[in-house]
Amino acid sequence: MKVVIIGGGIAGVSLGILLHKLGTDFVINEKESGIPARGNAFLMHADGVSILKKIMGEDLHSIELPGQFIDTFTLKRPDGTELKYIKMEPWQCMRRSSLIEVLYSLIPLEKFKKNRTFLRFLYDDVTGKAISAEFNDGTIEYGDIFVGADGSRSMVRQSLFGNTNFTPIEVKEIIGIVSMPDAVAESPHIFTKYLSGTKGLSFGYIPTSASEFVWFIQFDSRFETKDALNRENMKDFCHDLMKDFP
């Protein structure tokens, strides 16, 4: 049996690791030419971390799990007034790229096929079942089981079910990474968030390591002006949103 995985993100590679340990034949098809590094960081609960550790298995002895332990949340107003201070169950904040790099190291390189953007499935004329996946470079990968792990804008899903009608976006988010080791040392395990009391706007930051934060701005999509989120205008837009924040 051969499993064809379409998408080389966290889901696709995690499945690949499990199949590799089971001795099942598989191939991971990824549209990027290298390790997909899109996305910034996220919080993973202890339950998710325990599953991740099980996936990594014995490799945990030689490879360090990425991220920073988070056990406290503080919510403040822009003037510094504290609204909440909560000791949380353990979470781990990690860069997406750091986790993917670790996961990629657990699978033989020959199992990855890069620069492959999914185009369509090819079907058996008699059974009507999919027998291969075709990619936009003309390559065809035959298999017995096909797994669509190609993200929220999945081309596999579109091929099977047509276009997806997404709900309107009411809240948008801008995310970045900043190196500030001295600041992280002052609050190495705290998730800090500032929330406006007058409009739909917030700013927060969480340590992803001993030297850097992931930061985010969440805002009512109605605040967005034309072309505000273009690369050339984003810095000015962020400064305008945050002018009343510390």
Side-chain angles (χ1 to χ4, degrees), residues 117-119 121 150-151 153-160:
T117 299
F118 175 80
L119 183 61
F121 289 115
D150 53 337
R153 300 188 181 278
S154 170
M155 294 302 294
V156 172
R157 183 184 63 221
Q158 181 173 320
S159 173
L160 295 173

Side-chain angles (χ1 to χ4, degrees), residues 15-64:
L15 176 58
I17 294 170
L18 295 174
L19 293 172
H20 180 58
K21 291 182 177 181
L22 290 171
T24 302
D25 189 20
F26 71 96
V27 61
I28 298 175
N29 302 274
E30 168 56 38
K31 65 182 179 181
E32 302 288 346
S33 59
I35 296 177
R38 291 185 180 182
N40 279 287
F42 55 85
L43 281 165
M44 182 180 291
H45 188 258
D47 292 342
V49 173
S50 66
I51 293 171
L52 180 58
K53 289 180 177 179
K54 288 181 181 178
I55 290 173
M56 295 178 67
E58 293 296 321
D59 294 296
L60 269 175
H61 298 306
S62 57
I63 300 176
E64 184 178 355

Side-chain angles (χ1 to χ4, degrees), residues 40-41 95 175-185 203-216:
N40 279 287
R95 292 184 68 160
I175 307 175
I177 297 283
V178 60
S179 177
M180 297 181 67
D182 292 342
V184 174
F203 176 84
Y205 52 92
I206 319 171
T208 60
S209 71
S211 62
E212 68 180 19
F213 291 107
V214 59
W215 60 264
F216 60 87

Side-chain angles (χ1 to χ4, degrees), residues 62-99:
S62 57
I63 300 176
E64 184 178 355
L65 191 66
Q68 187 81 345
F69 179 74
I70 306 296
D71 65 359
T72 303
F73 171 70
T74 178
L75 180 65
K76 301 178 181 181
R77 290 296 188 208
D79 64 3
T81 302
E82 189 166 68
L83 302 176
K84 290 183 180 180
Y85 183 89
I86 302 171
K87 297 299 290 185
M88 307 188 302
E89 294 182 12
W91 292 76
Q92 191 130 340
C93 185
M94 62 185 75
R95 292 184 68 160
R96 182 177 183 273
S97 59
S98 298
L99 177 56

